[in-house]
Amino acid sequence: LNRDRALRQRLIDEPDLRVSATEEFLRMHPPLATIARTARMDTELRGCPVRAGDRVLVSRHSANYDAAQFQDPDVFIPDRFPNRHVSFGLGVHRCVGSHLARLMFQEMLGQILERMPDYEIDETRIEPYADRGFAQGWVSLPARFAKGER
């Protein structure tokens, strides 16, 4: 949204769009980029043997950008439907807090767009987590915005 001001304005003008946009943000920027699992039995994944006890690293980015599942996977489409991303896992391994996380993100997004609609992130000073390969986020994300009413 720092780079796409038209999309930012659209989310300000169409607050109902924030629900589906949340799913698209999650698809493109999952909270955890990867997850590791231990194979319980010998198997094969697309011709690659996996033995019981082997560790398998699963990329949520790869799944969420799969062109067989998502048309134009590299494009942010705020009203994408269906949007069956795997950012919170699947089945019995689905994040128990996924519904709360979605609501928290929607509230945070709404507060930023309503209270700081003119914010600008200083992209030259962004500092991502350097040593957390599985987690998305920043140590520092400096921004400027006009002071407004609380």
Side-chain angles (χ1 to χ4, degrees):
L1 295 181
N2 190 55
R3 295 179 188 156
D4 190 340
R5 300 302 168 93
L7 175 59
R8 183 192 304 188
Q9 191 60 52
R10 186 172 173 205
L11 291 172
I12 290 169
D13 295 340
E14 302 174 45
D16 291 344
L17 185 60
R18 296 175 195 167
V19 174
S20 61
T22 293
E23 298 307 314
E24 189 70 342
F25 281 117
L26 286 168
R27 182 187 72 81
M28 294 189 83
H29 307 285
L32 298 176
T34 60
I35 191 162
R37 291 288 185 245
T38 303
R40 293 177 54 194
M41 63 182 96
D42 291 350
T43 190
E44 187 176 295
L45 294 172
R46 298 198 179 209
C48 181
V50 179
R51 304 286 173 232
D54 284 354
R55 296 288 284 169
V56 177
L57 187 66
V58 180
S59 169
R60 290 192 172 131
H61 276 291
S62 179
N64 286 347
Y65 283 74
D66 183 350
Q69 297 296 317
F70 300 97
Q71 185 176 355
D72 298 321
D74 295 324
V75 177
F76 185 95
I77 301 172
D79 53 356
R80 184 184 296 274
F81 184 83
N83 193 340
R84 298 182 55 135
H85 62 78
V86 296
S87 295
F88 289 122
L90 295 170
V92 297
H93 294 287
R94 183 174 190 80
C95 174
V96 69
S98 64
H99 300 295
L100 180 58
R102 280 182 172 94
L103 289 173
M104 290 173 66
F105 182 85
Q106 289 169 22
E107 180 63 22
M108 180 232 19
L109 180 62
Q111 290 295 318
I112 289 171
L113 294 174
E114 291 165 21
R115 295 173 65 176
M116 303 181 296
D118 63 337
Y119 77 87
E120 291 183 26
I121 294 173
D122 182 352
E123 294 188 31
T124 65
R125 295 179 42 217
I126 292 174
E127 185 180 347
Y129 289 138
D131 59 351
R132 297 191 180 139
F134 66 93
Q136 306 288 357
W138 302 273
V139 173
S140 177
L141 189 67
R144 292 179 296 278
F145 54 91
K147 184 178 179 180
E149 289 191 39
R150 254 188 134 188

